[in-house]
Amino acid sequence: MSLSHLAALLTPDARCVLAFSGGLDSTVLLHQLVCWQRQHPQFQLRALHVHHGLSPNADSWAAHCQHLCQQWQVPCEVLRVQVDGHEQGIEAAARDARYQALFQHLQPGEYLLTAQHLDDQCETLLLALKRGSGPAGLAAMPSQRIVGENTHLRPLLTFSRQQLESWATEHQLRWIEDESNADCRYDRNFLRQQVLPLLHARWPHFSAAAARSAALCGEQEQLLDALLAEQLAQLTDELGRLNFTPLLSMQEARRHALLRRWIAQQGGTMPSRDALLRITREVMQSREDAQPCLHFGAFELRRYRQHLYWLVPQPSLSQHSLTWHDLSQPLRLPEPLGELQASHDSPRLRYPTDDEQVSVRFKAQGYFHLIERAGGREVKKLWQELGVPPWQRERIPLIYYNQTLICAPGFFITREGAASNEQGWTAVWLQQQ
C-alpha cells in the first residue's frame, strides 16, 4: 500500500478531520494521514473520537485515542453522545448519533474522513439486499459525498481488512478491539463472523466483486440524478417543499425516483418501496382537508395543500406565554424561533396603555377583525387564508395587550391593535436561520 489513494482525494493543503474510533481501520488511516502530513507540511489534520457510552471500556478507548494522537501530534477531541435504540435499533441509532456529532463539529471547508474498507462495503451491500433495497441502496457507500457544506471522504474503500492488517503489522501499530464486534446478534457482525468467511472460502474475490456491483449501481444512480435534476428543481420551491400534483400522473417508477431524490435533498435516508407507496396512498392521495403525517426516523413527512414537507418534529407552544416587560429591549423566543424587536420606523401598532401588559402567546381562539379587511374571521380560517400549515400555527408569536390579541408579526394586525396616528411601533420577528 502506498499513499496514492490519499493523493487521489486530497490536495496537499487540505484541512481534514478523521473520525477516530481507535480500531484497526481508523488507526491505519490516521497513521497514513500522519505520513501524508510529513510529506505535505501545509496539510492540516485533527481527530474526533465519538464516545457512545455503550461499553464499559468506552472511557479507556477515549484515553487510548487521545494518547495516540498526542504521540503523533494530532489534535484530538472526544465527543460524548446519547444513543437511544428504541425506535430504530442500537446499531442504526449509534451510527446516526455518531455522524450527527461529527458533522456538527466540522468547520467550514474541512473534510470528514472515515475508515470504511472493502469488506465493510461488501457487508453494506448484503445488508441492503436483506432490506430489499433498490439501486440507490445497493450502491452502498460512495468514496466521497457532499453533506451540507462539507465533503465526506472514505479513502480506504478499495482495500481489504487483510491489507489494513498488513499495514498495521508492518508499522507496529496498536489498536483497540470493540468487544461488541463479536456479538452476532447485530446484523453486520453476523455477516462478518459467519457469512462472509464462507463466501470468501468459496469465492476469494467476493468482496471485490460485490464492490464492483455497488459501483455499477452507483453509476446508474448518478445517471438518474442527472436526468431528473431539472424536473426535481421545477417541482421544489425555495423552502424545500415539493409540489406533488404532477407526480400523481407519472409512472410509478419515475414518481418513486423523484421522491427518493427529494427526500435525499432534505437530509432523509433512502425510503423503502413500501414507504414510497404509503406516501402516495396515505399522503398525496388523501382527502383535501386531511392532515396526514408519516414518520421516518427523526423526521416526519406532511402535506399541506399541494405540497409535501419534510420536517423535524417541533413541539407545540400553545401553552407557552412570555411577558414583554420592556419594548426597548428584544424579547427572546423559545428555541429556535429567534426574537422579537420593537421598531419605530413604520408605526402600525398603538402603544399599550398604562394598565395594559404586553405578552406573547402562541395560540388564539375566537373571531377577529383585521385592519384593511372587511368583516371578521375565525382564527382557523384566517390561517388558512394566509397559507400557514396547521403544524406551524402554534409556533407563531402572537402579541397580546392583556387578553386582547394585537397582532401576529409579519402576518396580521387586529383593529384593536392598530395605530390611530403617527405615534406607534411595529413588531419585527427576526427568525433564527
Side-chain angles (χ1 to χ4, degrees), residues 386-404:
L386 293 168
V388 178
W391 61 89
Q392 292 180 4
R393 296 171 189 172
E394 293 184 352
R395 294 183 62 81
I396 294 174
L398 305 173
I399 295 179
Y400 281 77
Y401 291 172
N402 292 343
Q403 301 305 314
T404 302

Side-chain angles (χ1 to χ4, degrees), residues 210-384:
R212 286 197 298 274
S213 294
L216 290 171
C217 289
E219 290 179 5
Q220 294 297 313
E221 284 300 294
Q222 290 175 11
L223 177 60
L224 276 176
D225 287 344
L227 293 174
L228 295 174
E230 182 178 353
Q231 186 173 27
L232 183 59
Q234 293 172 347
L235 294 171
T236 309
D237 66 14
E238 67 280 359
L239 299 178
R241 302 177 302 184
L242 181 70
N243 177 9
F244 66 82
T245 303
L247 270 63
L248 294 173
S249 59
M250 294 179 186
Q251 290 183 334
E252 183 180 277
R254 190 179 190 90
R255 178 169 67 249
H256 287 180
L258 286 165
L259 281 172
R260 286 192 181 100
R261 279 153 184 80
W262 174 70
I263 291 172
Q265 282 184 356
Q266 305 309 307
T269 56
M270 198 57 58
S272 66
R273 184 173 184 274
D274 285 345
L276 294 171
L277 290 172
R278 290 189 65 195
I279 291 173
T280 299
R281 289 194 307 262
E282 300 177 28
V283 181
M284 293 193 291
Q285 294 178 338
S286 62
R287 299 189 326 272
E288 188 72 27
D289 60 345
Q291 297 182 22
C293 176
L294 294 181
H295 293 273
F296 294 91
F299 299 93
E300 61 185 21
L301 183 141
R302 290 180 176 269
R303 159 192 170 163
Y304 184 61
R305 295 180 176 171
Q306 305 308 314
H307 288 89
L308 297 181
Y309 294 72
W310 187 263
L311 305 164
V312 176
Q314 299 287 349
S316 168
L317 296 173
S318 61
Q319 304 304 313
H320 209 83
S321 179
L322 302 169
T323 300
W324 198 349
H325 295 286
D326 184 357
L327 294 182
S328 67
Q329 298 296 320
L331 179 68
R332 193 70 192 169
L333 298 173
E335 293 288 348
L337 297 182
E339 67 179 24
L340 291 176
Q341 292 183 0
S343 170
H344 302 281
D345 294 338
S346 176
R348 304 197 67 200
L349 299 175
R350 67 175 178 83
Y351 285 118
T353 61
D354 292 340
D355 61 348
E356 288 180 324
Q357 183 183 64
V358 183
S359 64
V360 175
R361 307 173 197 175
F362 297 87
K363 185 176 182 179
Q365 292 179 318
Y367 201 75
F368 299 99
H369 291 80
L370 308 186
I371 63 172
E372 300 172 354
R373 291 198 186 190
R377 288 164 177 78
E378 291 183 14
V379 68
K380 179 180 178 181
K381 297 292 184 183
L382 182 58
W383 289 130
Q384 290 174 348

Side-chain angles (χ1 to χ4, degrees), residues 187 189 366:
D187 290 344
N189 292 344

Side-chain angles (χ1 to χ4, degrees), residues 182-216:
D183 189 344
C184 288
R185 290 177 299 174
Y186 300 123
D187 290 344
R188 189 174 288 273
N189 292 344
F190 171 72
L191 290 174
R192 184 178 301 158
Q193 302 292 337
Q194 299 193 23
V195 176
L196 282 174
L198 290 174
L199 295 174
H200 288 145
R202 178 66 180 252
W203 302 294
H205 302 293
F206 182 84
S207 288
R212 286 197 298 274
S213 294
L216 290 171

Side-chain angles (χ1 to χ4, degrees), residues 78-97:
V78 176
L79 309 178
R80 295 179 180 270
V81 299
Q82 298 292 324
V83 179
D84 183 359
H86 288 94
E87 185 171 332
Q88 53 181 336
I90 200 70
E91 284 181 285
R95 182 185 63 248
D96 289 350

Side-chain angles (χ1 to χ4, degrees), residues 1 48 71 79 132 162 289 316:
M1 276 174 79
L48 295 175
Q71 180 181 330
L79 309 178
Q162 186 176 13
D289 60 345
S316 168

